Amino acid sequence: MNEIKLFSPATVANVSCGFDVLGFCLDTIGDEMIIRKTDKKGIHITKVAGFDLPLQTELNVAGVSAIAIYDAAQPDFGFEIEIYKNIKPGSGVGSSSASASGSVFGINELLGRPYSNLELVKFAMKGEALASQSEHADNIAPGIYGGFTLVKSISPLEILELPCPDDLYAVILHPQIEIKTADARALLPKEIPLQDAITQWSNVGSLVHALHTNDYQLLSRSLNDVVIEPHRCALIPGFNDVKNTAIGNGALGCGISGSGPSIFSICKGESTAKSVAATIEILYSKTEIPFEIYISKINTQGIKIL
Ligand code: HSE
């Protein structure tokens, strides 16, 4: 195989209570990439369509993660990468992570799959670090593994794949404003009250248990963030109204997707997801902010070869 075309999906990090550790993978939003072997050695980004991102390999997250796997494998040929971006950078659904993960996944396939998913996450984290100036894998892991993942540790890297109940859908509202992950991290407190920590780790534990037991009601009671959301929600106009509307119309939970501005709702069943999306659309149309809404089943496969 000399060329591969792939779909690298958007992802939702944090999932309310699991800041920097929990994430899940979406199905209907994502970037496409074409990666091909070349005689010329090295990594060359030959095209970026959709958004204005650098072609220079060292300045492009897909390029930086590709260099990481390339340097490890040391093949006697090179790769060129075309990136067709659909996920807007700074949207909160893992745009940089999709680029970083897609390039390493595709190169690994073209090399004959020498590396495990865990190693691919490590390579992709190099690209993600360029974009967000921090090492976190909560978008990369669900993109590469699919479904729900928990980053148990980044040093040493340990990823847990969590089960995904069959009937889970996400509704994503993407207000067209940009929030830089680095900025959204800078406003977080360095210390949190013990009582908030107790509530938060109780919710993470019960969310994981809910996924293992298909307990949608427990999942709903676990989708609660008392640590990060109170600090970040002011960055997203109308956040509390969207959340109340989503939950009032049957969503199991609603929170900030990654560092925002996207807002995710998790629903049991497609019809509930459609009705939640419709009511959010009516509500957000009253703001001056352009927006997009997506409905997506949780993607249990992750990156797909097209
Ligand atoms: N866990 C990260 C954060 C995800 O919330 O800052 C960024 O997409």
Side-chain angles (χ1 to χ4, degrees):
M1 186 164 51
N2 289 318
E3 180 177 306
I4 189 166
K5 183 175 182 190
L6 55 88
F7 170 78
S8 192
T11 46
V12 170
N14 300 339
V15 200
S16 293
C17 51
F19 179 68
D20 273 4
V21 299
L22 283 172
F24 65 81
C25 188
L26 297 168
D27 214 10
T28 49
I29 325 166
D31 296 339
E32 289 186 7
M33 298 171 100
I34 296 172
I35 303 173
R36 58 181 75 84
K37 289 185 189 172
T38 56
D39 292 337
K40 188 175 165 192
K41 288 182 89 174
I43 302 289
H44 304 278
I45 314 252
T46 51
K47 183 167 185 170
V48 182
F51 293 96
D52 188 20
L53 294 169
L55 280 169
Q56 202 179 323
T57 308
E58 299 76 20
L59 299 181
N60 184 300
V61 294
V64 170
S65 58
I67 291 170
I69 184 170
Y70 188 80
D71 286 350
Q74 301 202 332
D76 57 5
F77 47 86
F79 294 96
E80 59 183 37
I81 304 174
E82 295 177 13
I83 306 169
Y84 299 87
K85 282 219 69 80
N86 297 310
I87 315 172
K88 188 170 186 258
S91 56
V93 284
S95 177
S96 52
S97 156
S99 298
S101 307
S103 67
V104 297
F105 180 93
I107 288 173
N108 192 46
E109 292 293 314
L110 294 176
L111 289 171
R113 286 196 208 154
Y115 297 109
S116 66
N117 280 346
L118 190 70
E119 289 167 309
L120 296 187
V121 173
K122 275 188 205 163
F123 295 132
M125 282 173 71
K126 302 286 179 209
E128 176 76 301
L130 173 74
S132 65
Q133 290 141 42
S134 64
E135 290 230 333
H136 56 92
D138 50 342
N139 286 109
I140 292 169
I144 287 178
Y145 286 82
F148 280 84
T149 52
L150 187 142
V151 182
K152 166 130 184 38
S153 148
I154 26 179
S155 185
L157 186 64
E158 190 175 352
I159 311 279
L160 305 181
E161 289 181 83
L162 302 174
C164 180
D166 280 343
D167 213 12
L168 275 191
Y169 286 77
V171 176
I172 305 293
L173 168 71
H174 175 204
Q176 306 277 303
I177 54 173
E178 186 178 350
I179 296 176
K180 289 196 163 56
T181 296
D183 296 341
R185 294 179 83 82
L187 58 79
L188 299 177
K190 297 279 170 282
E191 292 174 2
I192 60 171
L194 180 61
Q195 187 53 51
D196 288 350
I198 293 168
T199 304
Q200 200 84 346
W201 62 55
S202 152
N203 281 328
V204 175
S206 59
L207 189 147
V208 169
H209 185 71
L211 294 176
H212 275 276
T213 54
N214 287 309
D215 187 336
Y216 292 93
Q217 287 317 312
L218 181 61
L219 178 61
S220 177
R221 296 199 303 283
S222 311
L223 287 166
N224 184 23
D225 174 7
V226 298
V227 172
I228 305 298
E229 189 179 290
H231 296 280
R232 286 182 169 173
C233 64
L235 299 173
I236 307 169
F239 174 78
N240 287 324
D241 292 339
V242 172
K243 182 170 177 171
N244 291 336
T245 298
I247 291 171
N249 283 279
L252 298 172
C254 176
I256 302 171
S257 176
S259 54
S262 287
I263 300 171
F264 76 94
S265 305
I266 292 186
C267 302
K268 182 181 182 196
E270 193 174 15
S271 63
T272 305
K274 282 182 176 164
S275 107
V276 165
T279 49
I280 292 176
E281 184 163 9
I282 293 168
L283 177 80
Y284 223 72
S285 299
K286 294 176 189 153
T287 72
E288 302 286 300
I289 302 166
F291 65 94
E292 284 169 345
I293 290 192
Y294 310 92
I295 297 174
S296 172
K297 196 162 179 18
I298 309 300
N299 166 1
T300 53
Q301 186 183 342
I303 297 173
K304 294 174 187 171
I305 297 170
L306 299 174

